């Protein structure tokens, strides 16, 4: 393993970008965290991403055995994620040029998300090395679970994902639920799917004592004796901040004197998303004084939000796993989440939190009230949440990924007469 060099590809969002804004989210955390721990094992990792600022420089030395390489493909700014397919050739060409000029040879490609997967598929054949691919989200699944106001994912994206399912040497998924999705929607070969659970930084995200919680609330301007519910993530329909806002309005309609405060930390994502739209919703529902909107925070500052909250709400319409839920539990905060995707794996129902069927604000208000009003259960769940989170660490994830890489390297690559189908 110590002699292995990996090319990771994360085209549309840099792992160094602040999660919670724009297109940066859980995938950024996943890529940087797994790469960091793989590098600690002695594996050399180069992460290729699209340059978005000239000040970034071409190469960022993140740590021993780990670099981020910024490839120029299209303008630095003003290019929406939906327009990035126009830059696939430029991005692939930039990687080839850099690797050639630096005399780099890689043992394996690990691509993340379908855009990177398409580039990785090309490089796989040019370099004649295996490709491991992680989708993170799937068009067919997002279209099934999207809210009625969300735009559907394109058929072009679904076709590109189908090509990757058919041609990547191994597919890494977060949960067995995701395996079932690949088989159902993409007719995937189960023998080429490997389940590797993501983790959390259990050294950073730790529970605080009463003094730490009090300090966190003072920093965030939250009343010390209020009950606090927090949302952390991108402000977009798919993540469900509107579900929480409407549920809070319903909760306060039932009990106007409830001492409740809500923290929503994140930035807008997508062409139609703005922080103002969610603030306007809160104002229209009469709860704007109970909700505080916070800018996206780096992980070291997110700890304060998790500790300040009595409950973390994750009302997403789908999650391949749910990193926010796991970080919250590691910080000693129970979670109320939608029963979708990998969230039933991330949250131990009845032990570390509650799961809600659907996104009806009334149902979410019921779940919030149940946990907010039962101090004994909530405190017990907070304690159990920490123990649950210890089963998920990035070091363990990286160790399993290293095993996947070894398996991929042992596979016989298809020759010209034995190629897999090139999509449908």
């Amino acid at each position: 393993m110590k002699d292995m060099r990996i090319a990771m590809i994360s085209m549309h969002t840099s792992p160094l970008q602040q999660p919670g804004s724009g297109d940066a989210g859980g995938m950024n955390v996943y890529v940087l965290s797994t790469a960091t721990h793989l590098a600690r094992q002695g594996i050399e990792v180069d992460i290729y991403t699209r340059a978005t600022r000239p000040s970034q420089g071409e190469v960022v030395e993140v740590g021993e055995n780990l670099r981020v390489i910024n490839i120029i493909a299209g303008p630095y700014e003003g290019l929406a994620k939906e327009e990035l397919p126009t830059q696939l050739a430029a991005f692939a060409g930039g990687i080839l040029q850099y690797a050639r000029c630096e005399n780099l040879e890689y043992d394996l490609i690990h691509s993340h998300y379908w855009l990177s997967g398409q580039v990785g598929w090309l490089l796989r054949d040019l370099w004649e090395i295996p490709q491991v691919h992680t989708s993170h989200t799937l068009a067919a699944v997002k279209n099934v679970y999207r809210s009625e106001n969300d735009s559907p994912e394109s058929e072009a994206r679904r076709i590109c994902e189908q090509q990757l399912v058919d041609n990547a040497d191994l597919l890494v998924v977060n949960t067995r639920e995701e395996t079932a999705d690949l088989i159902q929607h993409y007719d995937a070969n189960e023998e080429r799917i490997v389940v590797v659970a993501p983790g959390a930084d259990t050294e950073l995200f730790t529970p605080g004592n009463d003094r730490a919680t009090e300090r966190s609330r003072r920093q965030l301007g939250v009343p010390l004796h209020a009950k606090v519910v927090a949302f952390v993530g991108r402000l977009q329909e798919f993540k469900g901040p509107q579900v929480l806002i409407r549920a809070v309005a319903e909760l306060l309609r039932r009990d106007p004197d409830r001492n409740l405060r809500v923290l929503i930390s994140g930035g807008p994502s997508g062409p139609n998303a703005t922080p103002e739209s969610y603030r306007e919703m809160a104002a229209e529902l009469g709860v704007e004084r109970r909700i505080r909107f916070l800018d996206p925070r780096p992980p070291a500052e997110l700890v304060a939000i998790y500790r300040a909250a009595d409950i973390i709400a994750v009302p997403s319409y789908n999650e391949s796993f749910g990193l926010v839920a796991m970080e919250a539990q590691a910080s000693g905060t129970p979670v109320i989440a939608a029963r979708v995707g990998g969230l039933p794996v991330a949250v131990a129902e009845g032990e570390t939190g509650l799961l809600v069927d659907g996104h009806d604000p009334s149902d979410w208000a019921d779940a919030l009230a149940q946990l907010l009003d039962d101090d004994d259960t909530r405190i017990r769940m907070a304690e159990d949440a920490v123990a649950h989170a210890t089963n998920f660490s990035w070091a363990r994830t990286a160790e399993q990924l290293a095993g996947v890489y070894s398996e991929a390297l042992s596979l016989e690559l298809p020759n010209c007469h034995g190629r897999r189908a090139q999509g449908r």
Side-chain angles (χ1 to χ4, degrees):
M1 275 298 174
K2 292 184 182 297
D3 296 328
M4 185 184 296
R5 181 186 287 272
I6 302 297
M8 273 197 188
I9 306 178
S10 180
M11 176 184 175
H12 83 285
T13 177
S14 170
L16 302 180
Q17 189 176 346
Q18 169 64 60
S21 62
D23 294 319
M27 193 185 89
N28 298 64
V29 177
Y30 182 103
V31 172
L32 183 58
S33 299
T34 55
T36 298
H37 285 274
L38 286 166
R40 289 177 184 175
Q41 294 182 29
I43 297 173
E44 295 183 76
V45 184
D46 287 340
I47 305 174
Y48 288 95
T49 191
R50 194 180 77 87
T52 55
R53 295 194 309 273
S55 60
Q56 291 171 319
E58 186 176 37
V59 179
V60 179
E61 298 284 350
V62 180
E64 185 177 359
N65 296 328
L66 176 58
R67 305 184 298 175
V68 171
I69 301 167
N70 296 294
I71 300 296
I72 296 175
Y76 288 113
E77 299 177 349
L79 199 62
K81 184 170 71 173
E82 293 74 20
E83 299 172 298
L84 287 179
T86 65
Q87 301 304 315
L88 289 175
F91 185 67
I95 294 176
L96 286 169
Q97 183 182 42
Y98 181 85
R100 183 175 61 249
C101 291
E102 297 295 321
N103 294 314
L104 294 173
E105 291 187 2
Y106 293 101
D107 298 291
L108 180 140
I109 296 164
H110 189 170
S111 52
H112 295 271
Y113 196 63
W114 71 275
L115 292 167
S116 303
Q118 287 286 309
V119 173
W121 180 23
L122 171 64
L123 298 177
R124 163 191 183 269
D125 288 345
L126 291 174
W127 290 340
E128 296 183 333
I129 59 176
Q131 178 188 11
V132 174
H133 179 67
T134 303
S135 298
H136 294 280
T137 62
L138 294 163
V141 176
K142 290 190 73 172
N143 285 340
V144 168
Y145 290 103
R146 69 184 177 91
S147 70
E148 59 184 20
N149 297 322
D150 239 353
S151 301
E153 296 295 326
S154 69
E155 178 62 9
R157 172 181 169 178
R158 193 206 64 79
I159 290 171
C160 288
E161 289 174 342
Q162 184 68 65
Q163 291 171 330
L164 293 169
V165 169
D166 291 341
N167 287 280
D169 295 283
L170 288 176
L171 302 167
V172 171
V173 299
N174 294 328
T175 63
R176 294 190 183 281
E177 174 83 13
E178 203 173 348
T179 299
D181 288 335
L182 281 171
I183 294 171
Q184 177 182 351
H185 296 288
Y186 295 86
D187 195 26
N189 180 353
E190 188 171 3
E191 293 181 356
R192 291 195 293 111
I193 303 174
V194 185
V195 178
V196 178
D201 187 340
T202 52
E203 296 177 3
L204 172 63
F205 297 105
T206 58
N209 54 28
D210 291 342
R211 184 174 296 179
T213 299
E214 180 178 331
R215 184 167 58 250
S216 295
R217 290 197 171 195
R218 291 188 187 280
Q219 289 174 352
L220 296 167
V222 177
L224 297 181
H225 300 294
K227 294 291 177 63
V228 179
V229 178
F231 169 96
V232 173
R234 286 170 287 168
L235 300 184
Q236 60 176 196
E237 283 272 329
F238 197 72
K239 294 294 183 181
Q242 73 282 357
V243 176
L244 177 59
I245 294 171
R246 291 177 180 131
V248 168
E250 172 61 20
L251 206 57
L252 292 172
R253 184 192 66 77
R254 298 175 187 176
D255 182 5
D257 296 326
R258 180 183 286 275
N259 190 8
L260 176 66
R261 295 292 186 274
V262 178
L263 300 173
I264 295 180
S265 175
S269 176
N272 301 318
T274 63
E276 289 70 28
S277 63
Y278 294 102
R279 290 192 178 95
E280 290 170 3
M281 175 185 291
E284 290 171 3
L285 294 171
V287 294
E288 72 274 18
R289 293 185 180 180
R290 305 293 191 105
I291 299 177
R292 185 175 182 194
F293 290 87
L294 305 172
D295 290 335
R297 305 292 174 97
E301 295 180 23
L302 276 183
V303 178
I305 295 177
Y306 291 139
R307 289 177 176 174
D310 294 285
I311 296 170
I312 296 295
V314 186
S316 302
Y317 281 79
N318 196 52
E319 291 283 352
S320 61
F321 183 66
L323 292 179
V324 165
M326 191 53 64
E327 291 173 352
Q329 291 171 99
S331 304
T333 306
V335 175
I336 297 180
R339 193 191 303 276
V340 294
L343 286 169
V345 176
V347 180
E349 185 174 17
E351 298 176 17
T352 68
L354 301 176
L355 297 174
V356 181
D357 294 310
H359 297 83
D360 188 314
S362 181
D363 294 337
W364 276 81
D366 291 342
L368 288 168
Q370 178 183 338
L371 212 51
L372 287 171
D373 297 340
D374 188 344
D375 292 341
D376 290 341
T377 297
R378 194 180 63 256
I379 292 169
R380 174 185 59 77
M381 285 185 170
E383 294 172 351
D384 292 344
V386 178
H388 176 63
T390 59
N391 297 316
F392 300 86
S393 70
W394 287 120
R396 182 177 178 182
T397 302
E399 184 178 345
Q400 291 179 290
L401 281 178
V404 173
Y405 297 163
S406 293
E407 181 182 350
L409 289 169
S410 71
L411 297 175
E412 184 177 346
L413 294 179
N415 56 36
C416 294
H417 301 290
R419 294 301 305 274
R420 301 186 185 108
Q422 304 274 311
R424 302 184 179 186

